[in-house]
Amino acid sequence: MADHSDIAAPGAVRTITSLTNPTIKDIRGLALPKNRKESGLFVTEGMKLVADAVEENWPIKILVYGAKVADHPVVKRVATTARARGGDVLEVSEAVLSKITRRDNPQMVVGVFEQKLTPKSEVRPGPAGVWVALEGIKDPGNLGTIIRTADAVGAEGVILVGDTVDPFGVEAVRATMGSIFHMKLARMAVDEFKAWRKGWPGIVVGTHLSGKSDYRAVDYDRPVMLFMGNEQSGLPDDLAALCDHLVKIPQAGRADSLNLAIATGVMLYEIRRDKLKL
Ligand code: SAM
């Protein structure tokens, strides 16, 4: 991203109404994977999500809010924190927010944050901890939904294996509904994952349409890595071979498989069944 820090004194709120302002163009440009990769930044939209991220200490680089919410107590609090952490704070027109978010009815608050991944040395489960490993996942809505569901059941984190969709894309972040800020997220190449898996202290349970066990027949009372295949072709043989159990979710109708995020949700609720008793 270009350095526009000369435009206003540090700590000041800048007011922007020009749609051609270079900072605004840079933020809009973060919709492109190439720009997110180069800058290491990403965008999140909505007052609650931005406030959650700041509360969870995600490094905020730019806070953008619409003039009409300038006096909202949450916006004031987030702006104070963002400035204290060296972030840029921009008060903008609704037209500018529409330009950034590419929407007619834009969210009134947008945050630009640094991306954060958990190194594989820190992917260590608690005594009955659950991690979800996703091989080659391609759909951002599925990924966001899985991160949100993993958060909901109290899983510890999600590992992206191989070539996957970017978890920091706008659609994926939106689908997490804020869970991306609460969950650990790690990334490994396929060979790296194969080597690292040897040190995993619990069981690895893969889901497979030709799995031999019913998913309810496994004892999950130990650290579990749930390994899900991708949307198109499922777990390839070399990765299926890394699993202690290959399980199937029974189906009765004519659908040939479940959607990936739905299958992950069914699995996670079974794995965490005893922990989720109300
Ligand atoms: N044609 C793919 C295949 O043969 O695996 C279908 C993939 S399915 C849409 C996406 C993923 O969800 C699968 O790789 C598997 O991990 C999981 N999945 C979907 N339905 C399942 C079921 N009934 N039992 C076990 N896993 C399932």
Coordinates of all heavy atoms in Angstrom, one line a residue, residues 89-185:
V89 N -7.3 7.1 10.8 CA -8.8 7.1 11.1 C -9.4 8.1 10.0 O -9.0 9.3 10.0 CB -9.1 7.6 12.5 CG1 -10.6 7.6 12.7 CG2 -8.5 6.6 13.5
L90 N -10.3 7.6 9.2 CA -10.9 8.3 8.2 C -12.4 8.5 8.3 O -13.1 7.5 8.5 CB -10.7 7.6 6.8 CG -9.3 7.1 6.5 CD1 -9.2 6.5 5.1 CD2 -8.3 8.3 6.5
E91 N -12.9 9.7 8.3 CA -14.3 10.0 8.3 C -14.7 10.3 6.9 O -14.1 11.2 6.3 CB -14.7 11.1 9.2 CG -16.2 11.3 9.4 CD -16.5 12.4 10.5 OE1 -16.0 12.3 11.6 OE2 -17.3 13.3 10.1
V92 N -15.7 9.5 6.3 CA -15.9 9.6 4.9 C -17.4 9.7 4.6 O -18.3 9.5 5.5 CB -15.4 8.4 4.1 CG1 -13.9 8.2 4.4 CG2 -16.2 7.1 4.5
S93 N -17.7 10.1 3.3 CA -19.1 10.2 2.9 C -19.6 8.8 2.6 O -18.8 7.8 2.4 CB -19.2 11.0 1.6 OG -18.4 10.4 0.6
E94 N -21.0 8.6 2.5 CA -21.6 7.4 2.2 C -21.1 6.9 0.8 O -20.9 5.7 0.5 CB -23.1 7.5 2.2 CG -23.7 6.1 2.5 CD -25.2 6.2 2.9 OE1 -25.5 7.2 3.7 OE2 -26.0 5.4 2.5
A95 N -20.9 7.9 -0.2 CA -20.5 7.5 -1.5 C -19.1 6.8 -1.5 O -18.8 5.9 -2.2 CB -20.4 8.7 -2.4
V96 N -18.2 7.3 -0.6 CA -16.9 6.7 -0.5 C -17.0 5.3 0.1 O -16.4 4.4 -0.4 CB -16.0 7.6 0.4 CG1 -14.7 6.8 0.8 CG2 -15.6 8.9 -0.3
L97 N -17.9 5.1 1.1 CA -18.1 3.7 1.6 C -18.7 2.8 0.6 O -18.3 1.6 0.5 CB -19.0 3.8 2.9 CG -18.4 4.3 4.1 CD1 -19.4 4.7 5.2 CD2 -17.4 3.2 4.7
S98 N -19.6 3.3 -0.3 CA -20.1 2.5 -1.4 C -19.0 2.1 -2.3 O -18.9 1.0 -2.8 CB -21.1 3.3 -2.2 OG -22.3 3.3 -1.5
K99 N -18.1 3.0 -2.6 CA -17.0 2.7 -3.5 C -16.1 1.7 -2.9 O -15.7 0.7 -3.6 CB -16.2 4.0 -3.7 CG -14.9 3.8 -4.5 CD -14.8 4.6 -5.7 CE -13.6 4.3 -6.5 NZ -13.5 5.0 -7.7
I100 N -15.7 1.8 -1.6 CA -14.8 0.8 -1.0 C -15.5 -0.6 -0.9 O -14.8 -1.6 -1.2 CB -14.5 1.2 0.5 CG1 -13.7 2.5 0.5 CG2 -13.9 0.1 1.3 CD1 -13.4 3.1 1.9
T101 N -16.8 -0.6 -0.6 CA -17.4 -1.9 -0.3 C -18.1 -2.5 -1.6 O -18.6 -3.6 -1.6 CB -18.4 -1.8 0.8 OG1 -19.4 -0.9 0.4 CG2 -17.8 -1.4 2.1
R102 N -18.2 -1.7 -2.6 CA -18.9 -2.0 -3.9 C -20.3 -2.4 -3.6 O -20.9 -3.3 -4.2 CB -18.1 -3.2 -4.6 CG -16.7 -2.9 -5.0 CD -15.9 -4.2 -5.2 NE -14.5 -3.8 -5.1 CZ -13.7 -3.7 -6.2 NH1 -14.1 -3.9 -7.4 NH2 -12.4 -3.4 -6.0
R103 N -20.9 -1.6 -2.7 CA -22.4 -1.9 -2.4 C -23.1 -0.6 -2.4 O -22.6 0.4 -2.0 CB -22.5 -2.5 -1.0 CG -22.0 -3.9 -1.0 CD -22.1 -4.5 0.5 NE -21.9 -5.9 0.4 CZ -22.6 -6.8 1.1 NH1 -23.6 -6.4 1.8 NH2 -22.3 -8.1 1.0
D104 N -24.4 -0.7 -2.8 CA -25.3 0.5 -2.8 C -25.6 0.9 -1.3 O -25.7 2.1 -1.0 CB -26.6 0.2 -3.5 CG -26.3 0.2 -5.0 OD1 -25.3 0.7 -5.4 OD2 -27.2 -0.4 -5.7
N105 N -25.9 -0.1 -0.5 CA -26.2 0.2 0.9 C -25.0 -0.2 1.8 O -25.1 -1.3 2.4 CB -27.4 -0.5 1.4 CG -28.7 0.1 0.8 OD1 -28.8 1.3 0.8 ND2 -29.5 -0.7 0.2
P106 N -23.9 0.5 1.8 CA -22.7 0.0 2.5 C -22.8 0.0 4.0 O -23.6 0.7 4.6 CB -21.7 1.1 2.0 CG -22.4 2.3 1.9 CD -23.8 1.9 1.3
Q107 N -22.0 -0.9 4.6 CA -21.8 -0.8 6.0 C -21.2 0.5 6.4 O -20.4 1.1 5.6 CB -20.9 -1.9 6.5 CG -21.4 -3.3 6.3 CD -22.3 -3.7 7.4 OE1 -22.5 -3.0 8.4 NE2 -22.9 -4.9 7.3
M108 N -21.5 1.1 7.6 CA -21.0 2.4 7.9 C -19.6 2.4 8.5 O -19.0 3.4 8.7 CB -22.0 3.1 8.9 CG -23.2 3.6 8.2 SD -22.8 5.0 7.1 CE -23.4 4.4 5.6
V109 N -19.1 1.2 8.8 CA -17.8 1.1 9.4 C -17.0 0.0 8.7 O -17.5 -1.1 8.4 CB -17.8 0.7 10.9 CG1 -16.4 0.6 11.5 CG2 -18.6 1.7 11.7
V110 N -15.7 0.3 8.3 CA -14.9 -0.6 7.6 C -13.5 -0.6 8.3 O -13.0 0.5 8.6 CB -14.7 -0.2 6.1 CG1 -13.6 -1.0 5.4 CG2 -16.0 -0.4 5.4
G111 N -12.9 -1.7 8.5 CA -11.5 -1.7 9.1 C -10.6 -2.4 8.2 O -10.9 -3.4 7.5
V112 N -9.3 -1.9 8.1 CA -8.3 -2.5 7.4 C -7.3 -3.1 8.4 O -6.8 -2.3 9.2 CB -7.5 -1.6 6.4 CG1 -6.4 -2.3 5.7 CG2 -8.5 -1.0 5.4
F113 N -7.1 -4.4 8.4 CA -6.3 -5.1 9.4 C -5.1 -5.8 8.8 O -5.1 -6.2 7.6 CB -7.1 -6.1 10.2 CG -8.2 -5.5 11.0 CD1 -9.4 -5.2 10.5 CD2 -7.9 -5.1 12.4 CE1 -10.4 -4.6 11.3 CE2 -8.9 -4.5 13.1 CZ -10.2 -4.3 12.6
E114 N -4.1 -6.1 9.6 CA -3.0 -7.0 9.2 C -3.5 -8.4 9.3 O -4.1 -8.8 10.3 CB -1.8 -6.8 10.1 CG -0.9 -5.7 9.7 CD 0.2 -5.4 10.7 OE1 0.7 -6.4 11.4 OE2 0.6 -4.3 10.8
Q115 N -3.1 -9.2 8.3 CA -3.5 -10.6 8.3 C -2.6 -11.3 9.4 O -1.5 -10.9 9.7 CB -3.1 -11.3 7.0 CG -3.9 -10.7 5.8 CD -3.5 -11.2 4.5 OE1 -2.8 -12.2 4.4 NE2 -3.8 -10.5 3.4
K116 N -3.2 -12.4 10.0 CA -2.5 -13.0 11.1 C -2.7 -14.5 10.9 O -3.8 -15.0 10.9 CB -3.1 -12.6 12.4 CG -2.1 -12.3 13.5 CD -2.6 -11.6 14.7 CE -3.9 -12.0 15.3 NZ -4.2 -11.4 16.6
L117 N -1.6 -15.3 10.9 CA -1.7 -16.8 10.8 C -1.0 -17.4 12.0 O 0.0 -16.8 12.5 CB -1.1 -17.3 9.5 CG -2.0 -17.1 8.2 CD1 -1.2 -17.4 7.0 CD2 -3.3 -17.8 8.3
T118 N -1.4 -18.5 12.5 CA -0.7 -19.2 13.6 C 0.3 -20.1 13.0 O 0.1 -20.9 12.1 CB -1.8 -20.0 14.3 OG1 -2.8 -19.2 14.9 CG2 -1.1 -20.8 15.5
P119 N 1.6 -19.9 13.5 CA 2.6 -20.8 12.9 C 2.4 -22.3 13.3 O 1.7 -22.5 14.4 CB 3.9 -20.3 13.6 CG 3.5 -19.4 14.7 CD 2.1 -19.0 14.5
K120 N 2.8 -23.2 12.5 CA 2.5 -24.6 12.8 C 3.0 -25.1 14.1 O 2.5 -26.0 14.7 CB 2.8 -25.6 11.6 CG 4.3 -25.7 11.3 CD 4.4 -26.8 10.2 CE 5.9 -27.2 9.9 NZ 6.6 -26.2 9.1
S121 N 4.1 -24.5 14.6 CA 4.7 -24.9 15.9 C 3.7 -24.6 17.0 O 3.8 -25.2 18.1 CB 6.0 -24.2 16.2 OG 5.7 -22.8 16.1
E122 N 2.7 -23.7 16.7 CA 1.7 -23.4 17.8 C 0.4 -24.1 17.6 O -0.6 -23.8 18.3 CB 1.5 -21.9 17.8 CG 2.7 -21.2 18.5 CD 2.6 -19.7 18.4 OE1 1.5 -19.2 18.4 OE2 3.6 -19.0 18.4
V123 N 0.3 -25.0 16.6 CA -0.9 -25.8 16.4 C -0.8 -27.0 17.3 O -0.3 -28.1 16.9 CB -1.1 -26.2 14.9 CG1 -2.4 -27.0 14.8 CG2 -1.1 -25.0 14.0
R124 N -1.1 -26.8 18.6 CA -1.0 -27.9 19.6 C -2.4 -28.0 20.3 O -2.9 -27.0 20.8 CB 0.0 -27.5 20.6 CG 1.4 -27.9 20.2 CD 2.5 -27.6 21.2 NE 3.3 -26.5 20.9 CZ 3.3 -25.3 21.5 NH1 2.4 -25.0 22.4 NH2 4.1 -24.3 21.1
P125 N -3.0 -29.2 20.2 CA -4.4 -29.3 20.8 C -4.3 -29.4 22.3 O -3.3 -29.9 22.9 CB -4.9 -30.6 20.2 CG -3.7 -31.4 20.0 CD -2.5 -30.5 19.7
G126 N -5.4 -28.9 23.0 CA -5.5 -29.2 24.4 C -5.9 -30.7 24.6 O -6.1 -31.4 23.6
P127 N -6.2 -31.2 25.8 CA -6.5 -32.6 26.1 C -7.6 -33.2 25.2 O -7.5 -34.3 24.8 CB -6.8 -32.6 27.6 CG -6.3 -31.4 28.1 CD -6.2 -30.3 27.1
A128 N -8.7 -32.4 25.0 CA -9.7 -32.9 24.1 C -10.0 -31.9 23.0 O -11.1 -31.7 22.6 CB -11.0 -33.3 24.9
G129 N -8.9 -31.2 22.6 CA -9.0 -30.1 21.6 C -9.3 -30.6 20.2 O -9.0 -31.7 19.9
V130 N -10.0 -29.8 19.5 CA -10.4 -30.2 18.1 C -9.8 -29.1 17.1 O -10.0 -27.9 17.4 CB -11.9 -30.2 18.0 CG1 -12.3 -30.5 16.5 CG2 -12.5 -31.2 18.9
W131 N -9.2 -29.6 16.1 CA -8.8 -28.7 15.0 C -9.4 -29.3 13.7 O -9.6 -30.5 13.6 CB -7.3 -28.7 14.8 CG -6.6 -27.8 15.8 CD1 -6.4 -28.1 17.1 CD2 -6.0 -26.6 15.6 NE1 -5.7 -27.1 17.7 CE2 -5.4 -26.1 16.8 CE3 -5.9 -25.8 14.4 CZ2 -4.8 -24.9 16.9 CZ3 -5.2 -24.5 14.5 CH2 -4.7 -24.1 15.7
V132 N -9.7 -28.4 12.8 CA -10.3 -28.8 11.5 C -9.2 -28.6 10.4 O -8.7 -27.4 10.3 CB -11.5 -28.0 11.2 CG1 -12.1 -28.5 9.8 CG2 -12.6 -28.1 12.3
A133 N -8.9 -29.6 9.7 CA -8.0 -29.4 8.5 C -8.8 -29.5 7.2 O -9.6 -30.4 7.1 CB -6.9 -30.5 8.6
L134 N -8.6 -28.5 6.4 CA -9.3 -28.5 5.1 C -8.4 -28.5 3.9 O -7.5 -27.7 3.8 CB -10.1 -27.1 5.1 CG -11.1 -26.9 6.2 CD1 -11.5 -25.4 6.2 CD2 -12.3 -27.8 6.1
E135 N -8.5 -29.6 3.1 CA -7.6 -29.7 2.0 C -8.2 -29.1 0.8 O -9.4 -29.4 0.4 CB -7.4 -31.2 1.8 CG -6.4 -31.5 0.6 CD -7.1 -31.7 -0.7 OE1 -8.2 -32.2 -0.8 OE2 -6.4 -31.3 -1.7
G136 N -7.5 -28.1 0.2 CA -7.9 -27.6 -1.1 C -9.3 -26.9 -1.2 O -9.8 -26.8 -2.3
I137 N -9.8 -26.4 -0.1 CA -11.1 -25.8 -0.1 C -11.1 -24.6 -1.1 O -10.2 -23.8 -1.0 CB -11.6 -25.4 1.3 CG1 -13.0 -24.8 1.3 CG2 -10.6 -24.5 2.0 CD1 -13.6 -24.7 2.7
K138 N -12.2 -24.5 -1.9 CA -12.2 -23.4 -2.9 C -13.3 -22.4 -2.7 O -13.2 -21.3 -3.3 CB -12.4 -24.1 -4.3 CG -11.2 -25.0 -4.8 CD -10.1 -24.1 -5.1 CE -8.9 -24.9 -5.7 NZ -8.1 -25.6 -4.7
D139 N -14.3 -22.7 -2.0 CA -15.4 -21.8 -1.9 C -15.3 -20.9 -0.7 O -15.3 -21.4 0.5 CB -16.7 -22.6 -1.9 CG -18.0 -21.7 -1.9 OD1 -18.2 -21.0 -0.9 OD2 -18.7 -21.7 -2.9
P140 N -15.3 -19.5 -0.9 CA -15.1 -18.7 0.3 C -16.2 -18.7 1.3 O -16.0 -18.6 2.5 CB -14.9 -17.2 -0.3 CG -15.5 -17.4 -1.7 CD -15.3 -18.8 -2.1
G141 N -17.5 -18.9 0.8 CA -18.6 -19.0 1.7 C -18.5 -20.3 2.5 O -18.8 -20.2 3.7
N142 N -18.1 -21.4 1.9 CA -17.9 -22.6 2.7 C -16.8 -22.4 3.8 O -17.0 -22.8 4.9 CB -17.4 -23.8 1.8 CG -18.6 -24.5 1.1 OD1 -19.7 -24.4 1.6 ND2 -18.3 -25.3 0.1
L143 N -15.7 -21.8 3.4 CA -14.6 -21.6 4.4 C -15.1 -20.7 5.5 O -14.8 -21.1 6.7 CB -13.4 -21.0 3.7 CG -12.2 -20.6 4.6 CD1 -11.8 -21.9 5.4 CD2 -11.0 -20.1 3.8
G144 N -15.7 -19.6 5.2 CA -16.2 -18.7 6.3 C -17.2 -19.4 7.2 O -17.1 -19.3 8.4
T145 N -18.1 -20.2 6.6 CA -19.1 -20.9 7.4 C -18.4 -22.0 8.3 O -18.8 -22.2 9.5 CB -20.1 -21.7 6.4 OG1 -20.6 -20.7 5.6 CG2 -21.2 -22.4 7.2
I146 N -17.4 -22.6 7.8 CA -16.7 -23.7 8.6 C -15.9 -23.0 9.8 O -16.0 -23.5 10.9 CB -15.7 -24.5 7.7 CG1 -16.5 -25.4 6.8 CG2 -14.8 -25.3 8.6 CD1 -15.7 -26.1 5.7
I147 N -15.3 -21.8 9.5 CA -14.6 -21.1 10.6 C -15.6 -20.7 11.7 O -15.4 -20.9 12.9 CB -13.8 -19.9 10.0 CG1 -12.7 -20.4 9.2 CG2 -13.3 -19.0 11.2 CD1 -11.9 -19.3 8.4
R148 N -16.8 -20.3 11.2 CA -17.8 -19.8 12.2 C -18.3 -21.0 13.0 O -18.5 -20.9 14.2 CB -18.9 -19.2 11.4 CG -20.1 -18.7 12.2 CD -21.1 -18.1 11.2 NE -22.3 -17.7 11.9 CZ -23.4 -17.2 11.3 NH1 -23.4 -17.1 10.0 NH2 -24.4 -16.9 12.0
T149 N -18.5 -22.2 12.3 CA -19.1 -23.3 13.0 C -18.0 -23.9 13.9 O -18.4 -24.3 15.0 CB -19.5 -24.4 11.9 OG1 -20.3 -23.8 10.9 CG2 -20.2 -25.6 12.6
A150 N -16.8 -23.9 13.5 CA -15.7 -24.4 14.4 C -15.6 -23.6 15.7 O -15.5 -24.1 16.8 CB -14.4 -24.4 13.6
D151 N -15.8 -22.3 15.5 CA -15.8 -21.4 16.6 C -17.0 -21.7 17.5 O -16.9 -21.8 18.8 CB -15.9 -19.9 16.1 CG -15.9 -18.9 17.2 OD1 -15.6 -19.2 18.3 OD2 -16.3 -17.7 16.9
A152 N -18.2 -21.9 16.9 CA -19.4 -22.2 17.7 C -19.3 -23.4 18.6 O -19.9 -23.4 19.7 CB -20.6 -22.3 16.7
V153 N -18.6 -24.5 18.1 CA -18.6 -25.7 18.9 C -17.4 -25.7 19.9 O -17.1 -26.6 20.6 CB -18.5 -27.0 18.0 CG1 -19.7 -27.1 17.1 CG2 -17.2 -27.0 17.2
G154 N -16.6 -24.6 19.8 CA -15.4 -24.5 20.7 C -14.2 -25.2 20.2 O -13.3 -25.7 21.0
A155 N -14.1 -25.4 18.9 CA -12.8 -26.0 18.3 C -11.7 -25.0 18.5 O -12.0 -23.8 18.7 CB -13.1 -26.3 16.9
E156 N -10.5 -25.4 18.4 CA -9.4 -24.5 18.6 C -8.9 -23.8 17.4 O -8.4 -22.7 17.5 CB -8.2 -25.3 19.2 CG -8.6 -25.8 20.6 CD -7.5 -26.7 21.2 OE1 -6.5 -26.1 21.8 OE2 -7.6 -27.9 21.1
G157 N -9.0 -24.4 16.2 CA -8.6 -23.7 15.1 C -8.8 -24.5 13.8 O -9.3 -25.6 13.8
V158 N -8.4 -23.8 12.7 CA -8.6 -24.4 11.4 C -7.2 -24.4 10.6 O -6.5 -23.4 10.7 CB -9.6 -23.6 10.6 CG1 -9.7 -24.0 9.1 CG2 -11.0 -23.7 11.3
I159 N -6.9 -25.5 10.0 CA -5.7 -25.6 9.2 C -6.0 -25.6 7.7 O -6.8 -26.5 7.3 CB -4.9 -26.8 9.6 CG1 -4.6 -26.9 11.1 CG2 -3.5 -26.9 8.8 CD1 -4.2 -28.3 11.6
L160 N -5.5 -24.8 6.9 CA -5.7 -24.8 5.5 C -4.5 -25.6 4.8 O -3.4 -25.2 5.0 CB -5.8 -23.4 4.9 CG -6.8 -22.5 5.5 CD1 -6.7 -21.1 5.0 CD2 -8.2 -23.1 5.2
V161 N -4.9 -26.6 4.1 CA -3.8 -27.5 3.6 C -3.8 -27.4 2.1 O -4.9 -27.5 1.4 CB -4.1 -29.0 4.0 CG1 -3.0 -29.9 3.4 CG2 -4.2 -29.1 5.5
G162 N -2.6 -27.1 1.5 CA -2.5 -27.1 0.1 C -3.0 -25.8 -0.5 O -3.0 -24.7 0.1
D163 N -3.5 -25.9 -1.8 CA -3.9 -24.7 -2.5 C -5.4 -24.4 -2.2 O -6.3 -25.1 -2.6 CB -3.7 -25.0 -4.0 CG -4.1 -23.8 -4.8 OD1 -4.1 -22.7 -4.3 OD2 -4.3 -24.0 -6.0
T164 N -5.6 -23.4 -1.4 CA -7.0 -23.1 -0.9 C -7.4 -21.7 -1.3 O -6.6 -20.8 -1.6 CB -7.2 -23.3 0.6 OG1 -6.5 -22.2 1.2 CG2 -6.6 -24.6 1.1
V165 N -8.7 -21.4 -1.1 CA -9.2 -20.0 -1.2 C -8.6 -19.2 -0.1 O -8.2 -19.7 1.0 CB -10.7 -20.0 -1.2 CG1 -11.2 -20.5 0.2 CG2 -11.3 -18.7 -1.6
D166 N -8.4 -17.9 -0.3 CA -7.8 -17.0 0.7 C -8.8 -16.7 1.8 O -9.9 -16.2 1.6 CB -7.5 -15.6 -0.1 CG -6.8 -14.6 0.9 OD1 -6.7 -14.9 2.1 OD2 -6.5 -13.5 0.4
P167 N -8.5 -17.0 3.0 CA -9.4 -16.8 4.1 C -9.6 -15.3 4.4 O -10.6 -15.0 5.1 CB -8.7 -17.5 5.3 CG -7.3 -17.5 5.0 CD -7.2 -17.6 3.5
F168 N -8.7 -14.5 3.9 CA -8.9 -13.0 4.1 C -9.6 -12.3 3.0 O -9.6 -11.0 3.0 CB -7.5 -12.4 4.4 CG -6.8 -13.0 5.6 CD1 -5.8 -13.9 5.6 CD2 -7.3 -12.7 6.9 CE1 -5.2 -14.4 6.7 CE2 -6.8 -13.2 8.0 CZ -5.7 -14.1 8.0
G169 N -10.2 -13.0 2.1 CA -11.0 -12.3 1.1 C -12.3 -11.8 1.7 O -12.8 -12.4 2.7
V170 N -12.9 -10.8 1.1 CA -14.1 -10.2 1.7 C -15.2 -11.2 1.9 O -15.8 -11.2 3.0 CB -14.6 -9.0 0.8 CG1 -15.9 -8.4 1.4 CG2 -13.5 -8.0 0.6
E171 N -15.4 -12.1 1.0 CA -16.6 -13.0 1.1 C -16.4 -14.0 2.2 O -17.3 -14.3 3.0 CB -16.8 -13.7 -0.2 CG -18.2 -14.1 -0.5 CD -18.3 -15.0 -1.8 OE1 -17.7 -14.6 -2.8 OE2 -19.0 -16.0 -1.7
A172 N -15.1 -14.5 2.3 CA -14.8 -15.5 3.4 C -14.9 -14.8 4.8 O -15.6 -15.3 5.7 CB -13.4 -16.1 3.2
V173 N -14.4 -13.6 4.9 CA -14.4 -12.9 6.2 C -15.8 -12.6 6.6 O -16.2 -12.8 7.7 CB -13.6 -11.6 6.1 CG1 -13.8 -10.7 7.3 CG2 -12.1 -11.8 5.9
R174 N -16.6 -12.2 5.6 CA -18.1 -11.9 5.8 C -18.8 -13.1 6.4 O -19.5 -13.1 7.3 CB -18.7 -11.5 4.5 CG -19.6 -10.3 4.6 CD -20.1 -10.0 3.2 NE -19.6 -8.7 2.7 CZ -19.5 -8.4 1.4 NH1 -19.9 -9.3 0.5 NH2 -19.1 -7.3 1.0
A175 N -18.5 -14.3 5.7 CA -19.2 -15.5 6.1 C -18.8 -16.0 7.5 O -19.5 -16.8 8.1 CB -18.9 -16.6 5.0
T176 N -17.6 -15.6 8.0 CA -17.2 -16.0 9.3 C -18.0 -15.3 10.4 O -18.0 -15.7 11.6 CB -15.7 -15.8 9.6 OG1 -15.5 -14.4 9.8 CG2 -14.8 -16.3 8.6
M177 N -18.7 -14.2 10.0 CA -19.4 -13.4 11.0 C -18.6 -13.0 12.2 O -19.1 -12.9 13.3 CB -20.7 -14.1 11.4 CG -21.7 -14.3 10.3 SD -22.4 -12.7 9.8 CE -23.5 -12.3 11.1
G178 N -17.3 -12.8 12.0 CA -16.5 -12.3 13.1 C -15.6 -13.5 13.7 O -14.7 -13.2 14.4
S179 N -16.0 -14.7 13.4 CA -15.2 -15.8 14.0 C -13.8 -15.9 13.6 O -12.9 -16.4 14.3 CB -15.9 -17.2 13.7 OG -17.1 -17.2 14.4
I180 N -13.5 -15.3 12.4 CA -12.1 -15.2 12.0 C -11.2 -14.5 13.0 O -10.0 -14.8 13.1 CB -11.9 -14.6 10.6 CG1 -10.5 -14.9 10.0 CG2 -12.2 -13.1 10.6 CD1 -10.4 -14.7 8.5
F181 N -11.8 -13.6 13.8 CA -11.0 -12.9 14.8 C -10.8 -13.7 16.1 O -10.1 -13.3 17.0 CB -11.7 -11.5 15.1 CG -11.8 -10.7 13.8 CD1 -13.0 -10.3 13.3 CD2 -10.6 -10.3 13.2 CE1 -13.1 -9.5 12.2 CE2 -10.7 -9.6 12.0 CZ -11.9 -9.2 11.5
H182 N -11.6 -14.8 16.3 CA -11.5 -15.5 17.5 C -10.8 -16.9 17.3 O -10.4 -17.5 18.3 CB -12.9 -15.9 18.1 CG -13.8 -14.7 18.1 ND1 -13.5 -13.5 18.6 CD2 -15.1 -14.5 17.6 CE1 -14.5 -12.6 18.5 NE2 -15.5 -13.3 17.8
M183 N -10.7 -17.3 16.1 CA -10.1 -18.7 15.8 C -8.7 -18.6 15.4 O -8.3 -17.7 14.6 CB -10.9 -19.3 14.7 CG -12.3 -19.7 15.1 SD -12.4 -20.9 16.4 CE -11.9 -22.3 15.5
K184 N -7.9 -19.6 15.7 CA -6.5 -19.7 15.2 C -6.7 -20.3 13.8 O -7.5 -21.2 13.5 CB -5.7 -20.7 16.0 CG -5.4 -20.1 17.4 CD -4.5 -21.0 18.1 CE -4.2 -20.4 19.5 NZ -3.7 -21.4 20.4
L185 N -5.8 -19.7 12.9 CA -5.9 -20.1 11.5 C -4.4 -20.4 11.1 O -3.6 -19.6 11.2 CB -6.5 -19.0 10.7 CG -7.0 -19.2 9.3 CD1 -8.1 -20.3 9.3 CD2 -7.6 -17.9 8.8

